[in-house]
Amino acid sequence: MNETAPVHGIAGPRAYGWGVFHERHPALIRRLCDSNPYGPAQRSRLEALVEESRSGAVRPPEPVTAGHAPWLSGGDGLYGRPWSELPFLWAENYFYLRLLECVDHFTPGPWQGVDPFAPMKSAELADPGLESDTAWRDELDGASPEESFHALLLASLYGNRADLGFRLVQETTAGADGAAGTEDTPLLADDSAAVWRHLTGRPPGEVHVVLDNAGRELLADLLLADHLLATGRATGVVLHVKPRPYFVSDAVTSDVRDCLVRLAAFSGAAGKAGGRLLDAAASGRLRLSGHDFFCSPLGFDELPGALRTAFAAGSLCVVKGDLNYRRLVGDRAWPATQPFAASVAGVPGALVALRTLKSEVVVGMRPETVERLDASSPGWRTDGSQALVQARLQG
């Protein structure tokens, strides 16, 4: 891997990270204050965090904050510096940790442990159109296992466009509906056939799914998990959730519970899948894991021992979403043509990344594809219009 590639930062209005801190985060804070009955102190701290992150210096986490010690050591040399000098990946992760501090998530009292993003997640899950959105699952009953797998994998991928944090800005941008793209857009990379051959060419094993967003995306992820279990392509599925609220719509344990209950109440094939998954959870074939690693800025090449062992022993790891992709390949300005397999060489086991592009980093592209998109769609790396399925199935 080319370690000389520069790290993506947040300095200057031409940097994508600058827009996240100067546009997306202020919009998020306004939405949080509209959605939660926070008091004056909480609101004041949230506003102060926005100002600090745009023009101030970074302060260390509070002693009561979860992961205080590793954040303190991991940020050595960063605290006291202007936010504008920070690496984008570290800064964005740290912003959400500080956000939880601001709303007393870690402080004993009535707000301790409360998910500040729950109202937004609940509103999406309460959408009466969700059941009709899964009606397409009925059409797969007569399809072959391979056809069903391909359809469900793509549903899990395109569900990533429901990212609430990304939509905070997209919804207020002219032409955002067009920028979101459609499922008809050709994938920049499509290794789905190779993933199917991998799953069917060896004895079934445990499949790990590193989740991204709750709501619509999680419903699609659950339907994929059901297919893997019901067809015997997986002996078990482990859903890796965030151990605490993170990045607006990131899935935590309660989101999986709520989505499973909602899914099981649907009619048709989707509801039957939800019922099977509840049974799978009861029997231990569907399990949840919430490691602190997933609420950190560390790359996947720094997986803790327990996760490294589990991923290495599993038959496949499905890595969902843009943030996980950045942690998987490194949030650097790699050449877009750098091979994907080389970029994830430090991660054990077979894996596949399902990602809608919402940030600058991307690898594994053909030169002609990069040239075409750079010429025709300059914002293709960040506007959510492009997606990919990239696999590394050996090692």
Side-chain angles (χ1 to χ4, degrees), residues 66-362:
H68 173 265
W71 272 104
L72 204 59
S73 60
D76 187 35
L78 299 178
Y79 299 117
R81 291 170 56 183
W83 280 78
S84 58
E85 296 180 2
L86 301 180
F88 179 30
L89 182 62
W90 193 95
E92 194 176 16
N93 278 265
Y94 190 58
F95 179 89
Y96 281 93
L97 185 82
R98 290 281 306 281
L99 184 154
L100 293 179
E101 285 186 348
C102 290
V103 298
D104 297 323
H105 184 82
F106 305 114
T107 305
W111 289 98
Q112 187 174 25
V114 174
D115 184 350
F117 312 119
M120 288 183 273
K121 295 176 181 176
S122 297
E124 183 181 16
L125 199 57
D127 184 345
L130 277 184
E131 182 167 1
S132 61
D133 285 351
T134 62
W136 56 267
R137 178 62 184 81
D138 294 337
E139 301 173 8
L140 297 182
D141 282 351
S144 70
E146 181 176 4
E147 291 171 331
S148 296
F149 173 78
H150 184 74
L152 289 161
L153 193 73
L154 290 185
S156 178
L157 164 65
Y158 286 118
N160 187 240
R161 287 185 171 145
D163 181 341
L164 293 174
F166 184 69
R167 284 159 51 193
L168 283 171
V169 172
Q170 293 297 95
E171 287 171 357
T172 59
T173 302
D177 288 342
T182 71
E183 283 77 350
D184 295 329
T185 304
L187 295 174
L188 296 183
D190 184 5
D191 292 337
S192 55
V195 175
W196 174 254
R197 290 194 298 271
H198 172 81
L199 287 172
T200 56
R202 62 185 57 218
E206 196 165 62
V207 173
H208 295 262
V209 184
V210 181
L211 296 175
D212 191 24
N213 297 304
R216 280 180 165 84
E217 179 176 351
L218 180 51
L219 289 174
D221 296 338
L222 291 171
L223 290 174
L224 175 62
D226 170 68
H227 178 75
L228 293 170
L229 291 169
T231 60
R233 306 302 169 190
T235 57
V237 173
V238 182
L239 303 177
H240 293 271
V241 298
K242 300 295 191 299
R244 53 185 167 272
Y246 216 56
F247 277 64
V248 189
S249 54
D250 283 17
V252 297
T253 297
S254 58
D255 297 318
V256 176
R257 175 200 63 200
D258 295 345
C259 282
L260 267 176
V261 170
R262 184 78 199 277
L263 184 64
F266 288 172
S267 60
K272 293 176 182 177
R276 287 193 297 267
L277 287 171
L278 290 174
D279 290 341
S283 67
R285 292 183 301 122
L286 179 70
R287 297 187 290 109
L288 271 63
S289 176
H291 200 287
D292 275 346
F293 170 80
F294 294 111
C295 285
S296 80
L298 300 175
F300 273 64
D301 58 344
E302 299 180 83
L303 282 170
L307 287 176
R308 178 170 289 275
T309 299
F311 287 1
S315 61
L316 182 68
C317 181
V318 182
V319 181
K320 293 293 309 291
D322 194 83
L323 173 61
N324 284 322
Y325 188 91
R326 291 160 62 195
R327 298 177 67 194
L328 186 64
V329 307
D331 198 34
R332 293 174 176 266
W334 307 117
T337 54
Q338 176 171 287
F340 176 75
S343 303
V344 299
V347 185
L351 60 90
V352 58
L354 308 182
R355 180 216 183 184
T356 297
L357 277 68
K358 303 170 191 169
S359 64
E360 294 166 300
V361 62
V362 65

